Amino acid sequence: MSAPNLKVTSRARQIRLLLLDVDGVLTDGCLYYGNNGEELKSFNIQDGLGIKLLQRNGIKVGIITGRSSALVARRAEELGIDLVVQGREDKLTALEDLLVTHPYQMNEIAFLGDDLPDLAVIRRVGLGVAVANARPIIAEHALWQTTACGGAGAVRELAELLLQAQDKLESTFTDYL
């Protein structure tokens, strides 16, 4: 994990909601299709545990994605994520719609993205983060960038940064000793 600067740490302390893109963040960004037309996605198990650790420590996790997929709904259900917005390329508008029923302040929200549809949200929330393999313009506008690529532990890396900034990481690790 690259060391966060004081601004990133300060913003991370305030986060109560982490929103995630899916393709390129929760997955490696590749689309896999089987011979019978079925869609396949690969999710990183360490990212899943990172999401669970956040939830156990009072940080809500949600998804805003441009594509719609039953696989995303299934993975979200497995992880206890009930804030799921699919099929919305206009992610900033989707976020604003979500805030009508889930009253968070922008400075309490982090977003992890990788490509152009994520840019407006990354620029607007309290802590905009890019995965290691994000497009250069996304990294340029993000406050922090993971060292892990999308689908390969980037979510876990951000989860640990948030927990560390909120002085909850040590006690979280202690739970497993």
Side-chain angles (χ1 to χ4, degrees), residues 94-106:
L95 171 58
E96 290 166 349
D97 292 347
L98 186 140
L99 293 178
V100 170
T101 55
H102 298 84
Y104 292 93
Q105 300 299 313
M106 285 293 186

Side-chain angles (χ1 to χ4, degrees), residues 15-17 49-61 159-160 162-164 166-173 175-176:
I15 299 305
R16 294 179 45 229
L17 172 64
L49 181 56
I51 289 168
K52 290 292 199 182
L53 296 176
L54 289 172
Q55 293 165 331
R56 288 181 198 148
N57 282 281
I59 298 173
K60 191 149 183 79
V61 179
E160 290 185 7
L162 295 174
L163 294 172
Q164 178 70 44
Q166 296 181 17
D167 295 321
K168 298 176 180 176
L169 189 60
E170 285 291 322
S171 62
T172 298
F173 288 165
D175 292 344
Y176 288 88

